[in-house]
Amino acid sequence: ARIAVLERESRTLQETLREEQRMAMIDALTGIPNRAAYDDRIEQEFRRWKRFARPVSILAWDIDRFKAINDAYGHKAGDKVLRVIGQHLARHVRDTDFVGRYGGEEFVMLLVGTSAEEARVVADKIRLEIAQLGFHFHDQPVTVTASCGITQFNDADTPDTIFDRADRALYQAKQAGRNCCVAA
C-alpha cells in the first residue's frame, strides 16, 4: 500500500513538473509561445532542415509605432494590442509551423515547407488583416499596423544568422514606411 501511495505521489509530481515546464515556454501576456520556446524550436527546425533540405522561412514581425500606442493610450491598451495581434498571428499558422512572442512588441514565425516567396504572400495577407482589426481606445478607432521581415534558411546559415537576416529585412520594412513586408 505504501508503494502504491509513493507511486501516485511520484506521478503527480511528474505531471506537475511537465505542466510547469510547458508553462515556462508560454508568454503570460499573449498566451502564445515565448522566446525560450522559439529558441528550442529554431534549433529543431534547423536540424530538420539540414537533414531534409525542405524550405523553412522565418518571419520577424514588429508592431509599428508601438511606443506611441503605449504613450497615447496607456500600457493596458498596449497589452491588449499585444494579446490581439499575438492571437491573430497564432490563428494563421499551421500545426507544423510556429509563432511566438520574441520580446516586447516583436513576434516571430517559422513556416515549415514554405519558401520566402510563399511566406511573403502569407505575410502580406496577415499584415493587411492586422490593419483591419479595428482597435478602439476611448471610443476612438485606432489603426494598428505591423511590419515584417522575411527570409529563408540558406546553406551558410546558423539559427542566429537566419534571425539576423529576417531582422534586417524587418528594419528595411520600417525604413520603407512601415506596414509592409520585405523579403531578404
Side-chain angles (χ1 to χ4, degrees):
R2 179 73 179 135
I3 290 174
V5 168
L6 290 174
E7 286 175 346
R8 277 195 305 275
E9 288 175 358
S10 176
R11 279 192 302 274
T12 300
L13 287 172
Q14 288 173 350
E15 289 171 13
T16 301
L17 179 60
R18 275 193 296 274
E19 179 62 16
E20 287 177 4
Q21 288 172 332
R22 187 187 71 76
M23 291 305 295
M25 302 296 250
I26 300 295
D27 177 64
L29 179 63
T30 62
I32 65 174
N34 62 17
R35 171 77 180 269
Y38 164 76
D39 290 341
D40 283 352
R41 183 64 183 267
I42 190 75
E43 291 291 338
Q44 291 171 13
E45 292 303 337
F46 185 74
R47 286 191 303 273
R48 191 173 292 126
W49 171 77
K50 284 286 197 189
R51 182 169 181 201
F52 299 111
R54 288 187 50 207
V56 178
S57 291
I58 182 170
L59 291 74
W61 289 92
D62 186 80
I63 300 171
D64 297 327
R65 295 183 172 92
F66 184 73
K67 183 180 181 322
I69 294 168
N70 273 340
D71 290 348
Y73 304 103
H75 289 279
K76 284 188 178 190
D79 288 352
K80 180 179 179 182
V81 167
L82 290 171
R83 273 192 304 277
V84 169
I85 290 180
Q87 291 300 311
H88 186 77
L89 293 172
R91 283 191 299 275
H92 284 81
V93 294
R94 301 165 296 189
D95 290 341
T96 56
D97 298 332
F98 174 88
V99 65
R101 184 172 175 204
Y102 192 79
E105 68 274 12
E106 297 177 6
F107 297 86
V108 65
M109 292 175 122
L110 296 172
L111 302 183
V112 179
T114 305
S115 69
E117 296 81 28
E118 295 165 327
R120 183 171 182 153
V121 172
V122 171
D124 273 328
K125 178 180 182 258
I126 294 169
R127 177 188 60 78
L128 291 170
E129 289 174 355
I130 288 171
Q132 298 298 315
L133 285 175
F135 289 97
H136 288 81
F137 301 111
H138 305 296
D139 296 324
Q140 295 181 352
V142 176
T143 300
V144 176
T145 62
S147 298
C148 183
I150 305 158
T151 196
Q152 180 177 327
F153 288 21
N154 293 322
D155 287 335
D157 277 328
T158 67
D160 288 337
T161 62
I162 295 163
F163 181 82
D164 290 344
R165 194 168 52 253
D167 199 41
R168 284 192 305 274
L170 173 60
Y171 181 76
Q172 290 173 355
K174 296 287 192 177
Q175 294 293 75
R178 296 179 174 84
N179 192 25
C180 66
C181 300
V182 171

